[in-house]
Amino acid sequence: MSSADLTSERDLPQRDTAGKGDLAPERDGPRDTGMDDASLQRWLTQTWRTPSGIVGALSSVDHKIVARRYLITAFVFLCLGGLNAVAMRIQLSGPRRGLIGPDLYNQLFTMHGVTMMFLFAVPIVQATGIYLVPLMVGTRNIAFPRLNAFSYWIYVSGGIFAWVSFALSMAPDVGWFAYVPLSGPEFAPGKRADVWAQMITYTEVSSLAVAVATIVTVLKQRAPGMSLDKIPLYVWAMLVTSFVVVFAMPAVMITSTFLILDRLVGTHIFNPAEGGDALLFQHLFWFFGHPEVYIIFLPATGMVSAIIPAFARRPIFGHLGLVLSLIAVGFLSFGLWVHHMFATGLPKLGASFFTASSMMIAIPNGLQIFCWLATLWDGRPVIRTPLLFVFGFFFIFVIGGLTGVMLASVPLDLQVHDTYFVVAHFHYVLIGGSVFPLLGAAYFWFPKITGRMMSEALGRLHFWLAFIGFNAAFFPMHIVGLWGMPRRVYTYPAELGWGNINLFITAGAALFFLSFVLFTFNLVHGAMRGVPAGDNPWDAGTLEWATSSPPPSYNFARIPVVSHVEPLWAEREAMPVATGLRVDARELLISTVAEARPDIREKSATPSIWPLLAAVAVGATFLYSIFTPWAIVWGAVPIAVTLIGWFWPKGDPEDEE
């Protein structure tokens, strides 16, 4: 085992650690240099452990614990959103069904959209990144771990807020986009639209916090040697996604804030009668809304780029081209929003520009697909469940991409606007482009998270049920959309002849839902009784497989040194490591942005209950603010108290310097 000794005496103060373990303290605390493995793991386990008890669990800042909470919570919201969809499909399975009235139906399709877009799709891809990115870049925790923990509490409180309102028949009923004037004070009395506005605002705070933590982790905490050209593609995808989040999410937060001001304070930002502009709402919303699609899609492409090399048994083809494609997609995603507004009467020059930009984004996406196919063609593919879901992704996403090119054309878009053709398109893009890769990723990284394998036989059965059920449910929607069936209607007359095809769609949706029941069983069974996985059951090449499964609280006993984009394949005998970090303190190695040269050692935050208390204060303030604007004034007091408690120095000499 080679060693790059990073020991330095330049920055940490001297501290007495006598009597704490089996090593004499060095000048500024014991370090991992020259320490045997058993002693090192004993020190690190003590230093990085999460405190016991309920308060200890609620105080955890371990990125893996926070990520697991995110994953489980997002999966619960997926189930709830899926039940919404099943209820709607039962109502639409025949003409003039009286199971669900228009008021409840409006709440159902709004909650379905809100849940899937804001409470499932974005949080689960960010949660996967929270778990994997620190492991894949070879560091011991995510940057800003308390902010990361705070983001989870904000997210879960926002989701509970939305679903409690649904249980009280106060759920938003204006669509997940909440266009004005439909959601304005004139046409949406009551508090339903206010719930939408405030829930959107503070759940997006959560997304921004995770994005900032991810960017800093990737740029400053990479293992020595992991220069920009050696960063795994999944990490690149999360980095680009995080930048898109930082620039896109504020737009929807501004939109929802303007809406609540119009409704609660009496401003007229979106009221044309008083000098406002209703179309401004759509511009702001879709400036966020179209990048949102790629916030969901880009991490999924990173998952595909991680799964394919592992099962093709060769490095990915065109690594640099794929990185440039990710950056190009992230950049172009901001130039497409107006194609959602072709029916609002745009100038022809503007419509032509956004038609061209909408079609242009197919180029980097197509390049990615060709690189994946080339990797499989030149490799020795082993067909396992994760790769099956990647194949399903290829088929479904290509169809969704083709219909996307069709909708980028103004004449066709005007013909099928607000019909089920659009519903079919975006489900092919979002489910094919993100959920199928996500399911493949669940099978791929489940052994790393739990230490056990899921059933391969059940996984294959799950894939075929999901693939057949999905296409049976959504492909006929293209047809019924071309026949003119509008979306967001709770029933339709029998004489239009849409009954049989809707019954077929409902049967496909039931089969698709059944596949998730099977997936849930496989998850639970695998976690409890699955075959032990070992550290690297797929013989994959990236760093997360270099540590045990599940990883210890400190991730790596010694920080690895990277010399290849697939370091475990390049260093099969022994991974080079860097030493010199203290073991009695939560030290991280900070590296330079471009070349990942070791720069400084930095302390990582310890567990704290204050992020939870701050999230409670923020959540209560937002909840109260849907009734009175004075909530912002009074809520500032508990928020300030919790933030002072959060950042108050705790007696650590470094905090006081």
Side-chain angles (χ1 to χ4, degrees), residues 294 297-298 301 325 329 360-370 372 397:
Y294 292 94
F297 172 68
L298 283 171
T301 63
S325 297
V329 170
M360 189 185 299
I361 205 166
I363 297 173
N365 284 324
L367 177 64
Q368 291 187 81
I369 291 176
F370 283 121
W372 293 326
F397 181 72

Side-chain angles (χ1 to χ4, degrees), residues 55 58-61 146-147 149-150 153 606-618 638-650:
V55 175
L58 297 177
S59 306
S60 178
V61 293
R146 290 182 182 174
L147 180 67
F150 171 78
W153 299 120
T606 54
S608 170
I609 196 68
W610 288 108
L612 169 60
L613 299 179
V616 171
V618 172
I639 291 174
V641 170
T642 54
L643 291 180
I644 290 171
W646 182 338
F647 293 103
W648 193 267
K650 306 299 189 300

Side-chain angles (χ1 to χ4, degrees), residues 50 57 60-76 120 122-135 141-142 145 147-153 155 210 214 234 238 438 445 448-449 551 555:
T50 293
S60 178
V61 293
D62 185 331
H63 72 97
K64 300 178 291 297
I65 293 176
V66 175
R68 284 200 296 269
R69 291 172 178 167
Y70 257 113
L71 291 170
I72 293 171
T73 308
F75 188 74
V76 170
F120 164 68
V122 175
I124 203 163
V125 296
Q126 289 193 311
T128 309
I130 291 171
Y131 195 97
L132 291 172
V133 166
L135 291 169
N141 203 355
I142 197 168
L147 180 67
N148 189 44
F150 171 78
S151 75
Y152 171 74
W153 299 120
Y155 156 65
V210 174
T214 302
Y234 174 76
M238 289 306 303
L438 192 63
W445 279 301
K448 177 52 58 182
I449 296 173
N555 289 352

Side-chain angles (χ1 to χ4, degrees), residues 306-388:
I307 293 171
I308 286 180
F311 292 95
R313 318 308 306 154
R314 59 149 291 168
I316 196 84
F317 177 85
H319 185 273
L320 177 60
L322 284 166
V323 171
L324 296 176
S325 297
L326 289 168
I327 297 171
V329 170
F331 180 76
L332 290 173
S333 69
F334 287 96
L336 279 66
W337 86 91
V338 176
H339 80 215
H340 291 269
M341 301 166 61
F342 282 158
T344 59
L346 296 171
K348 289 184 178 178
L349 181 61
S352 301
F353 173 82
F354 285 98
T355 293
S357 61
S358 300
M359 292 183 177
M360 189 185 299
I361 205 166
I363 297 173
N365 284 324
L367 177 64
Q368 291 187 81
I369 291 176
F370 283 121
C371 287
W372 293 326
L373 292 176
T375 306
L376 289 166
W377 183 267
D378 195 46
R380 293 171 285 111
V382 179
I383 311 297
R384 302 293 294 272
T385 301
L387 196 57
L388 277 178

Side-chain angles (χ1 to χ4, degrees), residues 157-239:
S157 60
I160 292 172
F161 175 32
W163 275 88
V164 168
S165 73
F166 181 61
L168 300 175
S169 193
M170 289 178 57
D173 56 356
V174 288
W176 76 278
F177 37 82
Y179 286 159
V180 295
L182 180 65
S183 60
E186 182 180 0
F187 296 101
K191 293 298 179 186
R192 289 178 172 178
D194 302 273
V195 170
W196 179 90
Q198 296 304 69
M199 191 279 288
I200 295 297
T201 303
Y202 77 86
T203 53
E204 297 319 303
V205 171
S206 166
S207 298
L208 282 171
V210 174
V212 170
T214 302
I215 290 171
V216 176
T217 303
V218 175
L219 294 183
K220 293 300 294 179
Q221 290 185 205
R222 301 197 308 278
M226 188 181 283
S227 51
L228 294 178
D229 61 330
K230 297 183 182 67
I231 295 178
L233 285 167
Y234 174 76
V235 176
W236 265 115
M238 289 306 303
L239 179 63

